Amino acid sequence: MAQTEKKGGLLRKSSASKKPLKEKVVLMYDEIFTTEDPSKCNPRFWEELFLMKVNLEYLEGKLEALDGEELMKIKDNINCLFQHCIQALGEDHPIRVVNALQV
């Protein structure tokens, strides 16, 4: 039976014929790091994001890998992320509050 390994946001099957699968939260982080508004295709994007366990290692790695020019291109999405973190802190849902604090 194939074993699953979790590292850096990847869920990887030990079988060489399988493509690595990414965690849903990692896929959502990747949407934030594009120039498009991540809530454009999914109006519940931010609500769903804060219900998922934070993958801080992946998020920090993505931020550290950006240079100044790349950061400016996604500035609006980064600002949106922090705005929604602040909003989530005021919610009654404890999971959202804890995840918003971790981001």
Side-chain angles (χ1 to χ4, degrees):
M1 180 180 275
Q3 293 184 357
T4 303
E5 176 186 333
K6 183 177 177 184
K7 184 176 182 180
L10 293 178
L11 297 174
R12 194 174 316 144
K13 295 281 185 188
S14 60
S15 170
S17 64
K18 302 276 184 183
K19 287 174 107 177
L21 300 174
K22 286 188 176 182
E23 296 175 51
K24 183 173 181 179
V25 72
V26 167
L27 294 172
M28 293 181 85
Y29 291 158
D30 287 344
E31 289 183 49
I32 295 169
F33 287 88
T34 66
T35 56
E36 294 282 325
D37 176 3
S39 62
K40 184 177 180 180
C41 294
N42 180 3
R44 295 183 43 89
F45 178 87
W46 299 108
E47 295 169 27
E48 292 174 10
L49 180 69
F50 292 111
L51 287 175
M52 293 184 209
K53 185 177 178 191
V54 174
N55 185 328
L56 198 54
E57 178 184 342
Y58 186 82
L59 191 56
E60 285 177 346
K62 288 290 277 187
L63 283 168
E64 289 173 357
L66 294 175
D67 64 23
E69 187 175 312
E70 293 169 324
L71 190 58
M72 290 308 293
K73 288 180 183 175
I74 63 164
K75 178 180 77 167
D76 291 340
N77 286 353
I78 298 295
N79 287 340
C80 249
L81 171 63
F82 287 107
Q83 176 187 1
H84 283 89
C85 281
I86 292 167
Q87 287 175 351
L89 291 175
E91 292 187 17
D92 292 332
H93 200 290
I95 292 174
R96 286 192 175 128
V97 172
V98 169
N99 290 338
L101 282 170
Q102 290 180 7
V103 171

